[in-house]
């Protein structure tokens, strides 16, 4: 069997929580040797289920970095390492000799990914990297709908999981650049940058917005989560009106009664009969509805209890659920790798014992290329053909463009299906050259083949039966270009009964238990608005692409890689595992008021606004108890009696981590000079909108630039440029246009 892709890579991990350890897990299961350093100041619960999953297969080493012996041992490890992952703030890193300059002097080949709460150039860079506080300060707790007015506690730690992927991708991009440039360097990210990724759908501003762009997508849009006759809830994506049971019931209900039911709710852009659907769904059990919908190609999923996904045959068929022999709990089911490459990612065993002795690590490094003069983006020179639509596929290729790849987006002459949601569409398309081409037509084949010959990577999320009809499946395209890295994102994975089924982020949140947990105890399920399944799948696909590209740089061989919404979302269920008897280990539950998980980690209402607390260690919790009382009731009274700034001053004086829960922050974020200075804004001229402002950089590569200078393309904006660059003559382009197979944008109007 071939050795894993990263078999020559050695990584050191010094991080707590989710982001750093999860990034280390991805590197480990891609083949890297990962040594996890555990220090006396870390607050992780080493007995927790989450800890055992995130740190499985790693070597664990106890070091006290405040002693000379610990510093010396770490320096010895870093001398022979390829990668360092850590979550120290800049000042903490400098105090340990782990700032970028010191590390570059120690080992110029070292790739360093620091995962902070905020970017290192932001005024809050020294704040503790605690997700709830970051979300509060950004204003994202106000972006999530709840069962009550005002901001709510977000139960799913989505920023930590996204940051893990951003870190792992940054490391891979820097490893690719190291082969070119001959040295390592920074590949930093943060919880704030990760949390802002989904806001690329919503937080943007245009000089000349169209009415659709200006409207955006309100957080108050009704979500099609419907209670069924057995009390269970089903999430349906898009209209179910054509499914026979629903069509028959709507006909029996009649137009006037249906209109009366619909009038009870705000209009839905996905379900014109939202209210009537809700009333009809209440007449049958949830399982019956879902089976019926699946039989008729309607995407739907029961909002399942947390951990129930471990029993899914579909998840197990794709290796998204694996069995591990846990020392404490026996043979348990837990999340497996969420992507597929060749060679595939591999489990490396359960959580290991903590060692006290430092291993010997030879420092021999592979031969490197000579440094180049002008710093280039990490993926400069990579060529990517984006055939995807909706969100997961296009966001993935946008990230590759951010990292310096040249990306050509192909969409039908009528436009990508997501163009109707203009702000969301624009949030996944920057950095690309936009081409219109009607795939699947004989007259378009020559143009398609030229695009495929040009590309290093083809990426899409079209269902594979449709891809085969269009002639863009892996078999067809690899015949044209055998060295292609071909990446496909599916809904449910490439194997199993559901491999070709439709699916969307919302359904994966439902299946993996997050809708139930985000609703709060005793409440109806609640969809997390941030589209995390799409973003997780996009990120895991980029990681897979970079692994395959890294291997191709050694072997010259292409391959097909795969990711999925289900696999990427299921990984976030690592807070629980399934025990041998089928029971699910407990997880911390959101309270009924959607304010938090405990009196120490929750939102409190002051006299003039909300405040977030994250007292995570014993010292902080004791200080909070002395200041505001021990029980939630005592604390609620203490906070309610004073203005927020006064409460914050008292908390900070007692060294209790807290932040204001800011509200209505979209425009404020884009106006914030501190966010601009930290690279969190991107601005460019758009063919239709004029100056366009969007969420900016997701990484900081130090000496290497990102490429954030090209606006999302208007329909057909670059068709003429691309066809000419590929060698298609004027007569060929004219024939494509005459047959309706391409469109060329009018440069004076921005309209095809």
């Amino acid at each position: 069997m071939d050795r894993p892709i990263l078999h020559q890579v050695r990584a050191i991990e010094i991080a707590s929580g989710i982001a750093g350890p999860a990034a280390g897990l991805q590197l480990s299961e891609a083949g890297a040797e990962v040594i996890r350093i555990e220090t006396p100041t870390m607050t992780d619960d080493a007995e927790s289920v989450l800890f055992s999953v995130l740190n499985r297969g790693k070597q664990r080493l106890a070091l006290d970095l405040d002693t000379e012996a610990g510093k010396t041992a770490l320096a010895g490890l870093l001398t022979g390492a390829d990668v360092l992952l850590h979550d120290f703030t800049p000042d903490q890193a400098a105090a340990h000799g782990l700032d970028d300059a010191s590390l570059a002097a120690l080992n110029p080949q070292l790739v360093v990914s620091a995962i902070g709460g905020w970017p290192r150039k932001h005024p809050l860079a020294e704040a503790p990297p605690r997700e709830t506080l970051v979300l509060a300060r950004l204003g994202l707790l106000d972006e999530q709908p709840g069962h009550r007015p005002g901001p709510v506690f977000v139960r799913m730690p989505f920023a930590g999981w996204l940051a893990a992927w951003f870190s792992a991708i940054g490391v891979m991009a820097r490893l690719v650049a190291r082969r070119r440039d001959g040295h390592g360097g920074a590949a930093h990210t943060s919880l704030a940058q990760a949390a802002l990724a989904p806001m690329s759908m919503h937080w943007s501003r245009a000089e000349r917005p169209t009415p659709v762009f200006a409207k955006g997508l309100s957080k108050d849009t009704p979500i099609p989560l419907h209670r069924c006759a057995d009390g269970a809830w089903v999430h349906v994506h898009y209209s179910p009106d054509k499914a026979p049971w629903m069509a028959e019931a709507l006909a029996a209900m009649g137009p006037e009664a249906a209109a009366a039911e619909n009038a009870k709710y705000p209009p839905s852009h996905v379900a014109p009969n939202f209210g009537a659907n809700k009333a009809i769904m209440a007449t049958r059990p949830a399982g019956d509805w879902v089976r019926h919908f699946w039989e008729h190609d309607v995407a739907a999923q029961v909002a399942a209890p947390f951990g129930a996904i471990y029993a899914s045959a579909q998840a197990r068929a794709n290796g998204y659920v694996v069995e591990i022999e846990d020392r404490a709990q026996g043979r348990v089911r837990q999340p497996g790798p969420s992507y597929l490459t060749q060679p595939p990612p591999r489990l490396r065993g359960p959580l290991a014992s903590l060692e006290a002795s430092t291993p010997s690590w030879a420092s021999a490094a592979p031969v490197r290329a000579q440094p180049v003069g002008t710093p280039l983006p990490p993926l400069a020179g990579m060529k990517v053909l984006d055939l995807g639509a909706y969100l997961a596929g296009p966001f993935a290729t946008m990230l590759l463009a951010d990292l310096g790849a040249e990306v050509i987006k192909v969409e039908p002459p009528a436009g990508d299906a997501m163009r109707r949601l203009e702000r969301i569409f624009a949030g996944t398309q920057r950095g690309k050259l936009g081409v219109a081409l009607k795939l699947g037509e004989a007259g378009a084949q020559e143009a398609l083949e030229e695009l495929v010959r040009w590309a290093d990577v083809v990426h899409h999320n079209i269902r594979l039966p449709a891809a085969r009809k269009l002639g863009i499946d892996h078999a067809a395209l690899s015949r044209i270009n055998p060295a292609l890295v071909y990446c496909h994102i599916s809904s449910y994975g490439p194997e199993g009964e559901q491999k070709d089924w439709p699916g969307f982020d919302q359904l994966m949140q439902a299946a993996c238990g997050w809708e139930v947990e985000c609703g709060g105890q005793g409440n109806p399920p609640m969809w997390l608005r941030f589209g995390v399944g799409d973003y997780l799948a996009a990120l895991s696909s980029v990681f897979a692409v970079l692994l395959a590209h890294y291997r191709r740089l050694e072997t010259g061989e292409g391959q097909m890689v795969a990711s999925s919404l289900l696999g990427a979302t299921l990984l976030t269920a690592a807070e629980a595992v399934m025990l041998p008897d089928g029971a699910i280990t407990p997880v911390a539950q959101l309270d009924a008021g959607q304010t938090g998980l405990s009196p120490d980690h929750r939102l409190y209402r002051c006299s003039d606004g909300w405040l977030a607390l994250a007292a995570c260690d014993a010292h902080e919790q004791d200080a909070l108890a002395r200041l505001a009382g021990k029980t939630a009731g005592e604390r609620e009274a203490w906070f309610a009696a004073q203005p927020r700034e006064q409460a914050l001053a008292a908390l900070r004086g007692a060294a209790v981590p807290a932040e204001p829960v800011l509200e209505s922050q979209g425009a404020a974020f884009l106006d914030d000079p501190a966010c601009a200075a930290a690279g969190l804004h991107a601005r460019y001229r758009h063919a239709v909108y004029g100056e366009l402002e969007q969420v900016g950089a997701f990484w900081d590569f130090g000496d290497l630039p990102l490429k954030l200078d090209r606006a999302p393309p208007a329909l057909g904006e670059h068709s003429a440029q691309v066809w000419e660059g590929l060698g298609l003559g004027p007569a060929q382009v004219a024939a494509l246009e005459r047959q309706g197979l391409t469109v060329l944008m009018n440069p004076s109007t921005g309209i095809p």
Side-chain angles (χ1 to χ4, degrees):
M1 180 179 290
D2 288 342
R3 291 180 295 181
I5 292 173
L6 297 185
H7 68 277
Q8 291 183 318
V9 172
R10 293 166 166 171
I12 303 293
E13 171 197 312
I14 317 171
S16 299
I18 290 174
L25 179 67
Q26 299 309 326
L27 297 179
S28 172
E29 296 190 343
E33 182 180 353
V34 177
I35 295 182
R36 172 179 169 79
I37 306 298
E38 297 182 17
T39 72
T41 59
M42 286 183 174
T43 58
D44 286 326
D45 178 4
E47 302 302 317
S48 73
V49 165
L50 182 62
F51 186 94
S52 71
V53 175
L54 293 183
N55 296 300
R56 68 186 179 208
K58 302 173 186 175
Q59 184 174 346
R60 298 169 61 204
L61 179 63
L63 285 182
D64 187 344
L65 302 185
D66 292 325
T67 67
E68 287 304 316
K71 292 176 182 177
T72 300
L74 178 60
L77 289 170
L78 291 173
T79 300
D82 298 283
V83 177
L84 170 64
L85 304 171
H86 72 79
D87 60 359
F88 294 120
T89 69
D91 285 355
Q92 290 171 338
H96 289 300
L98 300 177
D99 56 285
D100 291 350
S102 297
L103 290 169
L106 177 69
N107 179 357
Q109 307 296 327
L110 188 66
V111 173
V112 184
S113 181
I115 310 172
W118 295 82
R120 298 166 82 78
K121 296 178 183 178
H122 193 278
L124 292 172
E126 293 301 326
R130 298 187 184 171
E131 178 160 340
T132 301
L133 304 186
V134 172
L135 298 184
R137 188 71 182 228
L138 277 173
L140 299 197
L141 300 183
D142 182 51
E143 288 286 340
Q144 171 61 18
H147 293 305
R148 57 165 176 78
V152 298
F153 188 100
V154 172
R155 173 60 184 88
M156 182 187 190
F158 74 97
W161 288 106
L162 291 174
W165 285 113
F166 277 118
S167 174
I169 290 167
V171 166
M172 286 305 307
R174 193 81 206 210
L175 287 173
V176 169
R178 187 176 75 169
R179 298 178 67 94
R180 175 194 71 203
D181 298 343
H183 61 83
H188 304 321
T189 190
S190 67
L191 295 176
Q193 287 162 291
L196 284 167
M199 300 316 295
S200 60
M201 293 189 290
H202 305 298
W203 283 4
S204 57
R205 189 162 58 190
E207 179 185 9
R208 298 190 301 269
T210 65
V212 173
F213 184 97
K215 182 180 179 182
L217 194 62
S218 169
K219 77 172 186 177
D220 298 321
T221 300
I223 302 302
L225 261 167
H226 303 303
R227 193 173 190 271
C228 299
D230 56 356
W233 294 74
V234 169
H235 200 136
V236 185
H237 197 82
Y238 289 137
S239 172
D241 291 357
K242 292 184 179 180
W245 287 356
M246 185 63 68
E248 292 164 6
L250 285 169
M253 180 180 284
E256 291 186 7
E261 293 293 339
N262 293 336
K264 297 176 182 178
Y265 303 92
S268 167
H269 74 281
V270 295
N273 283 309
F274 181 90
N277 295 153
K278 186 171 286 291
I280 293 167
M281 293 282 288
T283 64
R284 295 178 187 264
D288 291 354
W289 274 118
V290 167
R291 281 189 293 272
H292 179 73
F293 287 149
W294 287 347
E295 289 170 0
H296 295 90
D297 205 39
V298 175
Q301 198 75 49
V302 174
F306 201 82
I309 191 65
Y310 292 129
S312 164
Q314 181 66 24
R316 298 190 72 192
N318 287 282
Y320 303 149
V321 171
V322 295
E323 292 190 355
I324 292 284
E325 193 66 41
D326 184 87
R327 289 178 300 159
Q329 303 185 90
R331 195 158 186 81
V332 301
R333 294 186 187 179
Q334 59 180 249
S338 58
Y339 65 90
L340 184 64
T341 56
Q342 294 301 326
R346 301 179 190 174
L347 298 179
R348 305 183 74 158
L351 184 69
S353 299
L354 184 62
E355 301 292 338
S357 58
T358 307
S360 59
W361 230 3
S363 59
V367 177
R368 308 297 186 191
Q370 292 300 311
V372 296
T374 303
L376 298 172
L379 299 185
M382 177 186 279
K383 294 173 287 186
V384 179
L385 183 58
D386 172 10
L387 303 178
Y390 295 100
L391 206 160
F395 186 75
T397 51
M398 187 185 89
L399 294 181
L400 292 170
D402 284 1
L403 291 166
E406 187 71 273
V407 179
I408 295 176
K409 173 182 173 54
V410 176
E411 59 184 313
D416 187 303
M418 284 297 282
R419 280 193 181 271
R420 65 188 178 84
L421 299 174
E422 293 182 23
R423 199 181 298 191
I424 296 177
F425 176 83
T428 62
Q429 303 295 343
R430 72 159 170 239
K432 306 176 187 179
L433 297 173
V435 168
L437 183 65
K438 191 171 184 179
L439 299 173
E441 299 290 333
Q445 185 62 25
E446 183 178 357
L448 172 63
E449 290 182 5
E450 291 299 331
L451 287 166
V452 173
R453 292 188 187 97
W454 166 86
D456 299 308
V457 176
V458 169
H459 191 292
H460 73 86
N461 57 335
I462 299 168
R463 283 198 271 173
L464 285 182
R468 285 189 283 271
K469 289 181 181 179
L470 295 172
I472 59 169
D473 56 297
H474 178 245
L477 298 192
S478 63
R479 284 195 292 269
I480 301 168
N481 183 351
L484 272 181
V485 171
Y486 179 102
C487 181
H488 181 245
I489 300 178
S490 63
S491 295
Y492 290 92
E495 303 294 336
E497 180 185 1
Q498 296 173 271
K499 65 181 182 179
D500 296 325
W501 285 16
F504 298 85
D505 156 68
Q506 296 92 324
L507 309 187
M508 305 309 151
Q509 290 191 38
C512 293
W514 284 116
E515 291 196 329
V516 169
E517 294 303 320
C518 287
Q521 295 181 47
N523 295 329
M526 177 67 70
W527 173 54
L528 183 60
R529 178 178 179 244
F530 303 120
V532 290
D534 285 309
Y535 289 93
L536 291 164
L539 288 161
S540 63
S541 79
V542 173
F543 184 66
V545 164
L546 294 185
L547 286 171
H549 179 65
Y550 189 76
R551 178 175 171 81
R552 181 176 55 186
L553 292 174
E554 294 180 350
T555 67
E557 299 173 356
Q559 62 171 280
M560 180 174 178
V561 302
S563 176
S564 74
L565 300 181
L566 176 61
T569 308
L570 197 151
L571 180 61
T572 68
E575 292 182 35
V577 297
M578 179 178 281
L579 299 174
D581 64 358
I584 304 298
T585 55
V587 297
Q589 290 191 298
L590 181 62
D591 62 16
Q594 295 183 297
T595 63
L597 301 179
S598 74
D600 299 315
H601 189 192
R602 59 162 286 183
L603 313 185
Y604 287 96
R605 187 162 197 167
C606 298
S607 63
D608 59 348
W610 290 84
L611 179 151
L613 282 180
C616 297
D617 67 36
H619 295 295
E620 295 165 353
Q621 291 163 2
D622 289 344
L624 177 59
R626 289 192 299 270
L627 181 68
K630 293 184 177 181
T631 68
E634 291 173 331
R635 293 176 185 178
E636 286 172 355
W638 187 84
F639 284 105
Q642 57 188 312
R644 180 167 65 189
E645 286 305 314
Q646 182 175 317
L648 279 168
L651 290 164
R652 288 168 179 165
V656 177
E659 290 288 350
V661 180
L662 301 185
E663 302 179 45
S664 302
Q665 287 297 294
F669 165 77
L670 293 170
D671 289 334
D672 187 346
C675 288
L680 298 180
H681 296 168
R683 297 187 179 189
Y684 13 66
R685 298 294 298 179
H686 187 274
V688 175
Y689 305 136
E691 182 172 286
L692 179 63
E693 302 170 80
Q694 295 184 302
V695 172
F698 300 115
W699 297 274
D700 174 3
F701 284 94
D703 61 320
L704 301 186
L706 291 167
K707 189 179 177 184
L708 304 176
D709 58 355
R710 181 182 287 159
L715 179 60
E717 180 174 354
H718 304 104
S719 293
Q721 172 186 338
V722 169
W723 299 143
E724 180 181 358
L726 293 176
L728 273 66
Q732 293 171 288
V733 175
L736 287 171
E737 190 173 21
R738 186 172 58 253
Q739 297 171 62
L741 301 178
T742 192
V743 293
L744 310 181
M745 189 191 79
N746 184 328
S748 64
T749 64
I751 300 172

